[in-house]
Amino acid sequence: MTNLDPKDRRIEDLESRLVEAEQRLARQEEFFQMAVHDLRSPLSAIVVYAELLMNRVMGDLDNRQLEPIRTIHRNCNNLIRMAEDVLASARVRAGVTVPQFADSDVTECVREALRSLQGLADAKLVKIRLEPPQEPLVRPVDPDFLTRAFANVLGNAIKFSPHGGEIRITLVREGNEIRIAFTDQGPGISPEKREAIFQKFQRGDPGSVAGHGLGLSIAQYFIELHGGRILIEGVRGRGSTFLVGLPL
């Protein structure tokens, strides 16, 4: 047996612990992916049956009866979108999926995110005001991943907006950067929570609205995948502005 000096033994022990930690993390990530994947099937079935009821295929229903069904339909679609976002980010991290970058207009990714969440905004009578740039803002992006990022930022703004509120989205070119701002009329986020809110399962105000604390961490991951950054501005009690910067 080779005798190791104390320093070498400590290094070997640290390397062993690091390997064990990485293996535990990999097992947890695999379990999480399987759980999310299995979640989609029953949710999709609920969506189908809700649509049958909403279309009155199974009998006539009045608006009072249809309202909770619409809520079920909307929330299940939100959960399916979240599950797909989690799986998409996990596959990129694992190297299973490789981002497909191509020159694209960033404004179109914002429009697509808006279209996907228009129903959610309409349910709260939230008006979304998009102020597009004067010219196309073209740069290499993976349209699917960037749209997912914008949808999570916009979905967060809708979630925390008051009933009948307004969200303003602006896109501008400033120097060598494309800047996209999502400004809402929600409760705002205190300065000490602004960094933590981008961590998994962290929320700005846990008691205000339901949520899982995943959307903004996924948004940040996809934005950073494009070499970009995201930060928060605003005053507590007066809404928030999420600023996304993408280098040109």
Side-chain angles (χ1 to χ4, degrees):
M1 178 182 292
T2 303
N3 292 324
L4 299 175
D5 63 40
K7 181 179 179 181
D8 289 337
R9 279 198 295 271
R10 287 196 299 271
I11 293 174
E12 189 177 74
D13 184 53
L14 287 172
E15 290 176 343
S16 177
R17 291 184 182 184
L18 180 60
V19 169
E20 290 177 1
E22 289 177 342
Q23 290 174 344
R24 286 197 300 270
L25 186 61
R27 288 194 295 270
Q28 291 174 359
E29 187 73 21
E30 182 180 4
F31 173 79
F32 189 50
Q33 289 185 47
M34 290 174 60
V36 171
H37 182 272
D38 291 344
L39 183 66
R40 288 191 301 177
S41 295
L43 286 173
S44 297
I46 294 171
V47 167
V48 170
Y49 283 113
E51 288 175 349
L52 290 174
L53 291 170
M54 289 163 59
N55 293 326
R56 296 179 170 84
V57 173
M58 304 175 73
D60 195 27
L61 298 172
D62 60 33
N63 286 330
R64 181 182 59 82
Q65 293 168 318
L66 284 172
E67 189 56 37
I69 297 172
R70 294 190 185 102
T71 301
I72 292 170
H73 182 265
R74 184 169 59 251
N75 289 339
C76 282
N77 274 321
N78 290 339
L79 285 172
I80 290 172
R81 180 174 61 83
M82 183 200 71
E84 290 174 345
D85 288 345
V86 170
L87 283 175
S89 61
R91 285 168 179 161
V92 175
R93 287 188 175 97
V96 176
T97 301
V98 178
Q100 302 297 313
F101 292 101
D103 285 346
S104 304
D105 186 356
V106 172
T107 305
E108 288 307 308
C109 294
V110 174
R111 291 186 190 278
E112 183 58 34
L114 199 163
R115 282 191 287 268
S116 70
L117 293 171
Q118 189 63 62
L120 184 64
D122 291 344
K124 293 185 67 175
L125 300 179
V126 172
K127 180 181 179 181
I128 301 176
R129 183 155 54 94
L130 174 61
E131 299 178 8
Q134 297 296 316
E135 59 181 355
L137 300 176
V138 178
R139 60 149 286 168
V141 304
D142 182 304
D144 178 51
F145 292 155
L146 192 58
T147 298
R148 289 180 186 275
F150 292 152
N152 275 290
V153 177
L154 180 57
N156 182 80
I158 295 171
K159 183 189 301 181
F160 286 94
S161 289
H163 193 82
E166 180 177 279
I167 296 170
R168 179 170 170 248
I169 307 174
T170 60
L171 296 96
V172 296
R173 182 197 302 267
E174 292 194 9
N176 294 322
E177 189 175 56
I178 297 171
R179 293 187 181 178
I180 308 100
F182 299 80
T183 302
D184 62 51
Q185 298 174 336
I189 302 168
S190 56
E192 64 271 15
K193 294 183 178 181
R194 289 178 184 175
E195 289 188 13
I197 202 171
F198 292 107
Q199 298 174 11
K200 285 183 179 179
F201 309 115
Q202 295 294 320
R203 299 173 56 206
D205 187 357
S208 57
V209 296
H212 307 85
L214 287 171
L216 291 178
S217 69
I218 291 172
Q220 183 184 53
Y221 176 74
F222 284 134
I223 289 166
E224 291 180 347
L225 197 66
H226 288 79
R229 60 193 178 94
I230 180 170
L231 54 89
I232 308 170
E233 292 182 349
V235 177
R236 178 68 175 166
R238 299 182 184 178
S240 299
T241 295
F242 285 79
L243 294 171
V244 177
L246 297 171
L248 288 167

